[in-house]
Amino acid sequence: AKEKYQEALTTRPNFPDALIGQARIAFMEKNPDQALSLTEQALKADPKSIESWIMKGDLQRAAGRHAESLQTFQKILQLDADNVPAYLGRAAEHLALGKVAEAKKDIEAVRSRVPGHPLANYLSAHVSFQEKNLNAAQDSLQQVLKVIPGHMPSLLLMGNVHYLQGQFSQAES
């Protein structure tokens, strides 16, 4: 894939899709600085590229730069008010910053656009867990695991829910 993206850039320099493809590879190869640099190049080439903005927000979130990531996801929603990945990213950042009420609004925005979205359910489980509503958290996680059986973050959170409910054998499994 790396070679194909480079080939695309040879024929069309600064092609945003190819730059974002390379950025994804750089991130998977544990080179976040290069990934961010490629993403910035893509944004220079096309400042309205939603995919590039999402990549930037995801990279900022992965680096723990929550306030910057939050601003990036807000920028995406200014460009595309129905962008589900931006709502999910912003909800995750709100949770990271302890802004549960704002996260709930974004989760509901996703649910109104894509009912039953597994990542909206996962984030909802986090909200319920933070609010100590373990039954609601468990219900949301079960919905995620029906669709994505091996979703590791959901499995880990489910283990915590079971542990706090005193279901120790369930928590172990």
Side-chain angles (χ1 to χ4, degrees):
K2 204 179 214 180
E3 293 79 27
K4 291 290 182 187
Y5 289 129
Q6 192 55 49
E7 187 179 310
L9 289 169
T10 315
T11 57
R12 189 172 162 199
N14 293 318
F15 180 44
D17 293 347
L19 289 166
I20 291 303
Q22 285 187 325
R24 284 193 179 100
I25 292 170
F27 184 72
M28 288 187 303
E29 292 176 344
K30 302 195 184 318
N31 192 341
D33 293 336
Q34 182 184 16
L36 187 57
S37 174
L38 289 161
T39 301
E40 292 291 353
Q41 278 183 271
L43 284 167
K44 247 186 217 176
D46 182 2
K48 293 184 178 181
S49 168
I50 299 296
E51 187 178 3
S52 299
W53 282 108
I54 288 172
M55 183 69 179
K56 182 175 181 175
D58 288 344
L59 290 169
Q60 290 167 325
R61 181 174 57 225
R65 294 169 28 206
H66 301 294
E68 290 175 51
S69 180
L70 184 62
Q71 288 176 344
T72 299
F73 288 120
Q74 288 171 333
K75 167 80 173 168
I76 296 164
L77 290 167
Q78 289 171 355
L79 295 171
D80 177 6
D82 289 321
N83 191 283
V84 169
Y87 279 111
L88 291 167
R90 192 168 74 174
E93 291 307 337
H94 283 312
L95 286 174
L97 295 168
K99 299 177 178 180
V100 175
E102 288 88 343
K104 284 181 177 181
K105 290 176 191 170
D106 286 337
I107 293 166
E108 287 309 311
V110 172
R111 286 184 166 157
S112 71
R113 287 161 176 80
V114 186
H117 193 291
L119 296 180
N121 286 333
Y122 172 70
L123 292 172
S124 181
H126 264 284
V127 168
S128 297
F129 186 81
Q130 287 183 12
E131 292 175 339
K132 310 245 186 289
N133 187 343
L134 301 180
N135 291 331
Q138 185 174 3
D139 291 345
S140 293
L141 291 169
Q142 286 171 342
Q143 294 302 312
V144 175
L145 294 170
K146 281 181 189 175
V147 180
I148 312 172
H151 188 244
M152 190 56 66
S154 292
L155 292 169
L156 293 171
L157 186 55
M158 185 70 91
N160 287 329
V161 168
H162 286 311
Y163 181 81
L164 291 174
Q165 290 173 326
Q167 300 172 357
F168 302 117
S169 61
Q170 290 274 6
E172 286 180 6
S173 64

